[in-house]
Amino acid sequence: MELLVLAMVRQPSVTTAARSMLGRFLRGHGVTIRITEVEAYAGPLDPASHAYTRTPRSEIMYGPPSRLYVYRIHGHFCANVVTGPDGEASAVLLRAGEVVDGLDVALRRRGEHIAPARLARGPGNLAKALGITMDDLGVDLDAPRSRGVRFVTPDEVDGQTANPVPHNPVPISSVPISSGPRVGVRRNADVAWRYWITDDPTVSAYRRHPRAD
């Protein structure tokens, strides 16, 4: 039944939203990353989604869009972007990114011994590098002048890192994007709704859930 449901909606709008986030810049508490890896979750259409069943925890996923959905798992926080529209309960998990500003802050949070490419590799590490916690739940990521977590433009990035951000970065539409199964998902494990910038060194490794169906 689960596979039948997904067969009827092979490419829901959240997959388009997920791909469009690749290459965008997200600032959080003094650190900015360029997003390099994401996973799409299609709410009630997707048994792997937290919103497959409507609960108090997943209520935020039902809208409005551009809100930050934060949850905790295995002692780590994970950051998701609600994509909407209202009532659809779709969200995109931010899996990896390149630190392009605030490198010194990210190193303090993650550890001075961590290589730059690994600072925000994996959803828990990404949230830690950005300083994201449950206090950021529900933040509007498109709100201008927000001091917390928000999307920013390339012109707003200082580029204080070994790889400064150009003022006119290559459009993500011209950058190769790969897709594959989502990491650590037990249900619908083979649905290829994980997207990443091809060959980017910050992208995390694929790990299949040991009880994946």
Side-chain angles (χ1 to χ4, degrees):
M1 179 60 180
E2 293 172 358
L3 293 179
L4 177 60
V5 170
L6 290 178
M8 295 169 62
V9 189
R10 272 298 167 193
Q11 293 297 325
S13 60
V14 67
T15 61
T16 300
R19 291 191 297 271
S20 72
M21 285 183 203
L22 293 173
R24 294 191 68 182
F25 298 98
L26 184 68
R27 176 172 294 162
H29 307 292
V31 174
T32 304
I33 64 163
R34 178 180 65 98
I35 299 170
T36 59
E37 181 186 6
V38 295
E39 285 179 343
Y41 289 88
L45 300 174
D46 181 6
S49 172
H50 288 176
Y52 186 59
T53 300
R54 196 163 186 163
T55 66
R57 181 178 77 161
S58 67
E59 187 66 28
I60 188 174
M61 296 175 67
Y62 286 82
S66 298
R67 297 303 196 268
L68 187 66
Y69 167 45
V70 184
Y71 65 88
R72 188 167 188 166
I73 182 171
H74 304 313
H76 299 283
F77 297 106
C78 294
N80 304 256
V81 181
V82 177
T83 62
D86 283 6
E88 190 172 286
S90 56
V92 174
L93 172 65
L94 305 180
R95 283 205 55 86
E98 175 193 10
V99 176
V100 296
D101 191 21
L103 182 62
D104 55 338
V105 179
L107 284 168
R108 286 200 299 271
R109 289 174 178 157
R110 291 275 290 113
E112 299 291 340
H113 63 287
I114 304 294
R118 300 180 62 87
L119 284 172
R121 179 188 290 173
N125 294 332
L126 181 150
K128 187 172 184 179
L130 292 174
I132 292 174
T133 67
M134 295 303 298
D135 291 339
D136 298 301
L137 176 67
V139 165
D140 183 353
L141 297 174
D142 288 331
R145 299 180 299 277
S146 171
R147 293 184 178 180
V149 187
R150 67 183 179 97
F151 286 117
V152 295
T153 66
D155 289 339
E156 296 178 87
V157 181
D158 293 333
Q160 297 174 356
T161 180
N163 299 302
V165 177
H167 287 291
N168 296 299
V170 177
I172 193 62
S173 59
S174 63
V175 175
I177 295 176
S178 298
S179 65
R182 294 171 292 189
V183 176
V185 172
R186 186 176 66 82
R187 305 176 72 182
N188 292 303
D190 296 320
V191 175
W193 286 353
R194 179 169 66 104
Y195 305 97
W196 64 92
I197 297 176
T198 305
D199 296 329
D200 193 289
T202 66
V203 173
S204 64
Y206 172 69
R207 292 183 177 85
R208 185 178 176 85
H209 194 289
R211 298 196 305 275
D213 55 23

